[in-house]
Amino acid sequence: MMDLTKLKPPQITFYCSAFSVLITLHLTIQLVSQHLFHWKNPKEQKAILIIVLMAPIYAVVSFVGLLDVKGSETFFLFLESIKECYEALVIAKFLALMYSYLNISISKNVVPDGIKGREIHHSFPMTLFQPHVVRLDHRTLRLLKYWTWQFVVIRPVCSILMIALQIIGFYPSWLSWTFTIVLNVSVSLALYSLVIFYHVFAKELAPHNPLAKFLCIKGIVFFCFWQGIALDILVAMGVIKSHHFWLEVEQIQEAIQNVLVCVEMVIFAAVQKHAYHVGPYSGETKKKLDKKTE
C-alpha cells in the first residue's frame, strides 16, 4: 500500500494529474458509449463524438508532456500542435452540427425558405471586408463555412512548418510571433463565424442548447490560451523560477500548463455530459417534453 504522507509535492502533482485524466476518460467514455448505444442520427452523432473527444485528447496529450518534463522545445511544440490541430477539426464539426440541426446542405445549395433573407450584421473589423448588413443565402452560409474551415487547413500547415523550422535550427523570435499572429487571426475568424451563426439562428437552435455546446469548445480553447499567456507573464516577472539546475524555467512553465489542463478537462468533460447528452436520440428528451405538455 502506498504511503501518501511520504510522497513529495512533484509526485503528488503527478498522481493528481493522472487521476484527473482517468476521470476525464471515464466521463467521456460514458457519454460516447451512450451515443453509440442510441445511434439514431449518424450525421449529427459523428460530429458530437468528435467534439466530445476534445477534452480527453487535451488531457492525455498534456499528461504525456508531464512524463517528459525535460523534453525539448520541439517535443512540447509537437504536443501543442496535436491539441490545436484537433481544436481546428472540432470547430469545423461544430458548425457542421449546427447546419445539420437546421437541415442546411451547403453542397446541395439547400437552405430552408424560413431562414432565407435574414440579415447578418457584421461588426468591426469584419466591416472592412464585408458590408455591415448581409442577406442570408447559400453563398453567405458557404462563406461562413469557409471562414471556419480555413483554420482546419492553416493550423496543421503552420504546425508542420514550425516543427520543421525548429528541427533545422531556424526559429527566431520574430518568426515565432508571426506564426502566433497568423494563428490567432485564423482561430478568431473561425470562432467569429460560429458566433455570427448562433446569433442569426438562436431561436431555431434553442431546443438544441447550442450556447452550452459552444461554450464547451470556446472554454477549452480560451482557458488554455489565456492561462498560457498568464504563465508567460509570471515567467517574465520572475514569479515562476527554476530551483533545479537540470530544469529550465520554460520546462517548469510547460509542466504547470500541462497540470492545469489535466485538471480543467475533468470540468469540461462533466459539462459536456450535460451539453451533448444523449437525450434527443434515446427518446428521453421527447418524454420530458410530453410530460410538460400534459
Side-chain angles (χ1 to χ4, degrees):
M1 188 73 178
M2 184 184 296
D3 188 356
L4 298 178
T5 59
K6 293 182 179 179
L7 292 177
K8 297 178 181 179
Q11 292 175 308
I12 295 173
T13 303
F14 180 82
Y15 287 125
C16 285
S17 300
F19 184 64
S20 297
V21 173
L22 290 175
I23 295 175
T24 301
L25 287 171
H26 172 70
L27 292 173
T28 306
I29 289 170
Q30 273 189 332
L31 182 57
V32 168
S33 61
Q34 288 169 0
H35 276 281
L36 291 176
F37 186 76
H38 298 285
W39 195 251
K40 301 290 174 59
N41 191 326
K43 186 177 180 181
E44 291 180 9
Q45 288 177 282
K46 281 179 184 177
I48 289 173
L49 293 188
I50 290 173
I51 292 168
V52 300
L53 287 174
M54 186 178 183
I57 285 175
Y58 265 57
V60 170
V61 171
S62 296
F63 186 71
V64 171
L66 287 176
L67 295 175
D68 188 9
V69 178
K70 294 186 287 184
S72 65
E73 191 174 343
T74 305
F75 171 71
F76 290 123
L77 180 61
F78 173 72
L79 293 180
E80 195 65 24
S81 296
I82 293 174
K83 292 188 288 187
E84 293 184 355
C85 288
Y86 196 81
E87 167 199 325
L89 177 62
V90 164
I91 291 174
K93 283 299 179 181
F94 180 80
L95 184 61
L97 180 63
M98 297 299 105
Y99 278 12
S100 180
Y101 286 154
L102 296 170
N103 295 318
I104 295 173
S105 176
I106 299 297
S107 59
K108 299 177 182 177
N109 293 335
V110 175
V111 181
D113 293 333
I115 62 178
K116 278 183 181 177
R118 287 191 183 178
E119 292 185 348
I120 295 178
H121 295 268
H122 288 297
S123 55
F124 183 83
M126 290 308 298
T127 49
L128 297 174
F129 314 100
Q130 291 285 316
H132 178 65
V133 179
V134 179
R135 292 287 179 178
L136 186 70
D137 57 16
H138 70 275
R139 295 182 187 87
T140 311
L141 291 172
R142 182 177 285 111
L143 184 61
L144 290 177
K145 181 180 180 180
Y146 289 159
W147 285 354
T148 305
W149 274 92
Q150 53 80 27
F151 184 53
V152 181
V153 176
I154 291 174
R155 176 64 256 190
V157 168
C158 285
S159 295
I160 292 169
L161 288 174
M162 290 160 72
I163 293 170
L165 290 170
Q166 281 211 347
I167 290 173
I168 65 176
F170 180 75
Y171 198 67
S173 59
W174 66 265
L175 191 56
S176 174
W177 277 106
T178 301
F179 278 120
T180 301
I181 293 170
V182 169
L183 289 171
N184 278 314
V185 170
S186 180
V187 70
S188 296
L189 180 59
L191 291 173
Y192 175 80
S193 69
L194 295 185
V195 172
I196 286 291
F197 192 85
Y198 169 72
H199 280 296
V200 174
F201 301 112
K203 183 179 178 181
E204 287 82 4
L205 291 171
H208 303 285
N209 202 10
L211 187 58
K213 289 178 169 66
F214 178 62
L215 290 178
C216 285
I217 300 170
K218 193 170 182 179
I220 293 175
V221 173
F222 276 77
F223 257 98
C224 294
F225 176 76
W226 286 110
Q227 75 188 13
I229 297 294
L231 290 173
D232 285 336
I233 294 171
L234 292 176
V235 169
M237 293 173 61
V239 176
I240 298 177
K241 300 177 181 178
S242 176
H243 300 287
H244 308 284
F245 68 88
W246 64 85
L247 276 179
E248 297 180 6
V249 67
E250 289 80 9
Q251 293 171 328
I252 294 174
Q253 178 186 349
E254 285 289 344
I256 294 172
Q257 171 82 325
N258 287 330
V259 169
L260 290 174
V261 171
C262 287
V263 174
E264 290 160 0
M265 290 309 109
V266 175
I267 299 170
F268 284 109
V271 174
Q272 283 182 161
K273 282 199 72 178
H274 165 72
Y276 295 94
H277 65 94
V278 76
Y281 309 103
S282 66
E284 180 185 338
T285 301
K286 188 176 182 300
K287 288 178 183 176
K288 288 181 179 179
L289 288 173
D290 290 341
K291 285 182 179 180
K292 286 182 180 180
T293 55
E294 287 177 359

